[in-house]
Amino acid sequence: MLRRHARAACTALAAAGMALAGLQTGTATAAPHDPTPHPAARSAAGALGVDATRPEVLRAMERDLGLSRAQALTRLANEAEAGATAARLRQDLGGSFAGAWLDGADAGRLTVATTRAADTAAIRATGATPRLVPHGLAVLERAKEALDRSATADAPVRYVDVRANVLVVEEARAGAGARLVGATGVPGALVRVVRTTEAPRPLYDIRGGDAYYMGGGGRCSVGFAVTRGTTQGFATAGHCGRAGTTTSGFNQVAQGSFQGSVFPGNDMAWVAANTNWTSTPYVKGSGGANVQVTGSVLGAVGSSVCRSGSTTGWHCGTIQQHNTSVTYPEGTISGVTRTTVCAEPGDSGGSYISGSQAQGVTSGGSGNCSSGGTTFFQPLNPLLQNYGLTLKTSGTGPGPGPGEPEPGGTWSAGKVYAAGDVVTHGGASYRCLQGHQAQTGWEPSNVPALWQRL
């Protein structure tokens, strides 16, 4: 019987210098539609549990990002506040929004791009730096979708580089990018083709990061522990197995079986465990220590992120682009996030976490953890939503299942919300700013980093 061992840990976060003053002010202030925030409302850093970040996460950020412990804590707080600011501006700017990103060792500079000069004053008012660009994010993403439909492994990676305001196509064979653009009719002015020698492939080969073995052979890594009703299990990569594939755990004891799997298209799956296994709200950190998971708010471009896998263990880097498309030999997957974190075969399916916020599961990449590389993760929230799963988080009970209504409105704990979704709660309407799985304590009136009152 697998036993769960909880290790109590608390990381103190100094109030002084916790976050960039301008961003903190921008995110703590209520939206124009809501001049009187709820008295229980917390800052983004507080809501996302920055002060609960495990020492193992901080040590890995020190090692891989060259930060001191204090800088790592400041960076995580800045990332949380900036993410909320960027999400709110995306809603307010509408079609003129052209992306947002973080810079600086402590992620202290938020830049927000727009196609409309009239937006720059509103951006500055939040503490962010405006950047005027020719192409809106929605235009570039629609162009990428057109390329995705015709892409082959000769042009294996496509993504919107928000810093450069361009759609990037990486070509493995000379001329492949130009042929792809020409065949789809995407305007050449939107695209930059770059040559790559990388060949992304799935990283073949119940605590996040632990190994598990497929009945037909091969090893992958647990992503995040989940529940579905009373069933325990975990999220992982779709290319690791198909529905019905049996699994055994890191100790080679019979564990469960794949209940659903999508690959290619996406790279998502979940495994239901037998009654000998219990889901825990942890990811395996440095030295095998438990790193707690408190939620699933996706980090902004430029945010730090750490990965746990059964081959290479614990490594950190930064988020480069969201909504990337990758064409593996087996086919194209879309909607993954591109990162600078290294990985190797066997790490597939493993956990990506930013602070204590679950990000996604390892899909594939190139390079290794000796020379460095690029990896991609399947974001977790769409996976949870697709299979009706509830992320196991620390400090919370099982709570209501996905979609169960809460008194006083349509908001419900356990449901996955995307940016732009509108709910009611406590007699008011709210718009979701950052995608996440709702949980008790994150009611819309309590968390202005995640919800904007209408």
Side-chain angles (χ1 to χ4, degrees):
M1 190 77 165
L2 182 66
R3 301 181 182 221
R4 181 176 64 188
H5 300 279
R7 300 182 183 180
C10 181
T11 303
L13 180 63
M18 183 180 73
L20 181 67
L23 296 182
Q24 195 172 33
T25 300
T27 54
T29 301
H33 304 288
D34 182 19
T36 55
H38 191 281
R42 292 173 285 169
S43 69
L48 303 189
V50 169
D51 58 347
T53 303
R54 291 281 302 191
E56 294 78 17
V57 175
L58 300 176
R59 285 196 292 268
M61 292 176 68
E62 292 175 41
R63 181 195 66 198
D64 294 341
L65 297 176
L67 304 174
S68 68
R69 181 180 181 278
Q71 287 172 326
L73 283 168
T74 299
R75 179 172 183 130
L76 290 171
N78 283 345
E79 289 170 357
E81 303 298 342
T85 298
R88 189 171 290 111
L89 283 169
R90 180 169 190 165
Q91 292 291 330
D92 293 344
L93 301 186
S96 66
F97 179 79
W101 60 92
L102 298 171
D103 289 303
D106 63 355
R109 297 193 302 275
L110 171 65
T111 301
V112 177
T114 179
T115 60
R116 190 168 53 202
D119 294 334
T120 57
I123 294 171
R124 285 195 184 94
T126 69
T129 299
R131 175 80 60 83
L132 193 62
V133 297
H135 311 302
L137 183 60
V139 171
L140 293 171
E141 289 189 334
R142 283 195 297 270
K144 187 183 75 66
E145 291 170 2
L147 298 183
D148 290 348
R149 289 190 287 269
S150 301
T152 69
D154 287 340
V157 178
R158 286 85 51 205
Y159 56 82
V160 175
D161 184 344
V162 292
R163 286 183 169 92
N165 192 234
V166 70
L167 171 55
V168 176
V169 176
E170 295 185 359
E171 63 176 13
R173 189 184 299 273
R179 287 192 294 271
L180 176 61
V181 172
T184 57
V186 169
L190 301 180
V191 180
R192 183 176 71 209
V193 178
V194 298
R195 191 68 186 274
T196 182
T197 59
E198 299 178 347
R201 81 282 187 200
L203 296 173
Y204 288 107
D205 206 35
I206 280 189
R207 176 179 60 168
D210 277 339
Y212 71 91
Y213 301 85
M214 288 74 78
R219 169 174 56 85
C220 277
S221 302
V222 174
F224 292 93
V226 299
T227 59
R228 185 174 180 182
T230 59
T231 300
Q232 314 280 311
F234 60 87
T236 190
H239 73 261
C240 290
R242 292 287 178 255
T245 299
T246 58
T247 67
S248 57
F250 66 91
N251 52 7
Q252 300 286 1
V253 172
Q255 182 186 60
S257 63
F258 280 74
Q259 301 299 296
S261 176
V262 178
F263 180 79
N266 298 117
D267 199 358
M268 59 175 68
W270 84 283
V271 172
N274 60 43
T275 55
N276 291 332
W277 294 80
T278 301
S279 294
T280 68
Y282 302 115
V283 166
K284 183 180 181 180
S286 179
N290 287 332
V291 174
Q292 63 182 329
V293 179
T294 65
S296 61
V297 178
L298 190 64
V301 169
S303 295
S304 59
V305 67
C306 298
R307 179 195 55 74
S308 183
S310 59
T311 299
T312 59
W314 187 254
H315 290 274
C316 297
T318 57
I319 292 172
Q320 298 297 287
Q321 287 88 23
H322 292 305
N323 195 25
T324 298
S325 298
V326 182
T327 301
Y328 297 132
E330 296 85 349
T332 294
I333 61 170
S334 298
V336 294
T337 295
R338 183 172 178 262
T339 78
T340 64
V341 188
C342 68
E344 296 180 9
D347 288 328
S348 275
S351 328
Y352 273 82
I353 187 167
S354 183
S356 63
Q357 297 298 308
Q359 300 295 298
V361 299
T362 304
S363 174
S366 55
N368 54 54
C369 287
S370 296
S371 60
T374 299
T375 56
F376 308 92
F377 69 77
Q378 162 69 55
L380 183 62
N381 286 322
L383 189 159
L384 297 174
Q385 184 174 41
N386 189 54
Y387 296 117
L389 305 173
T390 299
L391 176 66
K392 188 73 172 181
T393 57
S394 60
T396 61
E404 292 183 17
E406 293 285 321
T410 59
W411 179 89
S412 57
K415 185 173 180 180
V416 174
Y417 291 103
D421 288 349
V422 175
V423 301
T424 57
H425 188 267
S429 296
Y430 297 86
R431 179 182 291 114
C432 179
L433 296 174
Q434 301 186 77
H436 64 284
Q437 184 169 60
Q439 55 182 289
T440 302
W442 282 10
E443 291 82 2
S445 58
N446 291 344
V447 195
L450 302 180
W451 294 97
Q452 180 184 46
R453 185 167 178 169
L454 302 177

